[in-house]
Amino acid sequence: MPGHFEPIPGGGAAVALDDVEISIIRSLAVQLLELIGPGPGGEAFDDPLAELFAEGPSEPPTDAVLRRLLPDAYGGPGGPADQDEAELRAHSSEFRRFTENDLRAGKREDALAVVRTLDVLSPGGGDGGAVLKLSQDESIQWMRALNDLRLAIGTRLDITDEEDTDLLYRLPDEDPRKPMVMAYLWLGGLQETLVETLMP
């Protein structure tokens, strides 16, 4: 089990994490929460209907990571060839106004699930660390959060395709990007084994 998720009886998954790994994942999840933010203007809604009909932003985020996590629905490479750029931007803006708040809320909930499940871990013994056991629903939240974390780190590392990933393995140890690269690759391994536990 060390270093990778394994299925557990009754559904869900488990992984052994040491104290450093727990700290890294928690820190990254908290940073993701800070980046996603509390919602448009940070407002809290007392009326569920007001929240339901609240409009989100119509323009893409300025931060590159948020643009990757909250992409335009239309346009860009592979967009319909029979529509001009202005029309695609208008469709993207309209779509974003009604979907971004929900998308951000979902990503916040996933990242919070990671933090909460790590915060209730009991120490695993004298060598530090613990065994993280996730329910089926928590496993799905973790899978989505790990994906978001990898997208965020990959964006900061300017990873756009598989060739970029191959270059990461050859970075010298003195490269300042090395710790971020190691986290990116490690999270990828965790994500892959978690996906495998969820497959029927």
Side-chain angles (χ1 to χ4, degrees):
M1 185 187 311
H4 61 272
F5 279 97
E6 293 182 1
I8 55 177
V15 63
L17 298 170
D18 65 32
D19 289 338
V20 173
E21 292 168 333
I22 292 168
S23 176
I24 289 170
I25 296 173
R26 190 185 188 288
S27 174
L28 290 171
V30 168
Q31 290 176 53
L32 183 63
L33 282 166
E34 291 170 355
L35 181 66
I36 293 169
E43 71 264 29
F45 293 98
D46 293 327
D47 178 2
L49 282 178
E51 183 175 5
L52 181 64
F53 292 107
E55 292 184 5
S58 59
E59 294 299 318
T62 55
D63 182 89
V65 170
L66 284 177
R67 280 197 308 275
R68 184 72 175 94
L69 294 174
L70 308 164
D72 272 335
Y74 304 99
D82 59 342
Q83 292 181 297
D84 66 25
E85 193 175 324
E87 188 178 355
L88 290 174
R89 273 201 311 269
H91 289 312
S92 289
S93 293
E94 189 73 1
F95 188 81
R96 185 178 293 279
R97 273 192 327 128
F98 294 107
T99 60
E100 185 171 309
N101 287 348
D102 286 342
L103 190 55
R104 281 180 185 257
K107 291 181 182 301
R108 271 194 301 274
E109 280 303 311
D110 293 338
L112 274 171
V114 169
V115 173
R116 289 174 181 145
T117 52
L118 292 176
D119 283 351
V120 297
L121 279 180
S122 301
D127 56 350
V131 174
L132 173 70
K133 293 183 180 179
L134 302 173
S135 68
Q136 183 82 5
D137 289 342
E138 289 170 337
S139 297
I140 292 169
Q141 287 184 297
W142 263 73
M143 181 182 63
R144 291 191 301 242
L146 287 172
N147 187 61
D148 286 344
L149 290 173
R150 292 192 76 241
L151 285 174
I153 295 171
T155 301
R156 294 290 190 234
L157 290 171
D158 291 322
I159 297 171
T160 57
D161 56 35
E162 197 62 37
E163 283 184 19
D164 295 332
T165 304
D166 292 340
L167 293 173
L168 298 179
Y169 287 100
R170 296 192 292 274
L171 277 181
D173 288 343
E174 60 272 14
D175 192 301
R177 297 170 295 172
K178 190 73 172 192
M180 200 181 302
V181 167
M182 298 305 293
Y184 176 82
L185 297 172
W186 172 59
L187 291 174
L190 279 179
Q191 182 185 15
E192 184 177 347
T193 60
L194 182 54
V195 169
E196 288 170 0
T197 69
L198 297 173
M199 293 174 67

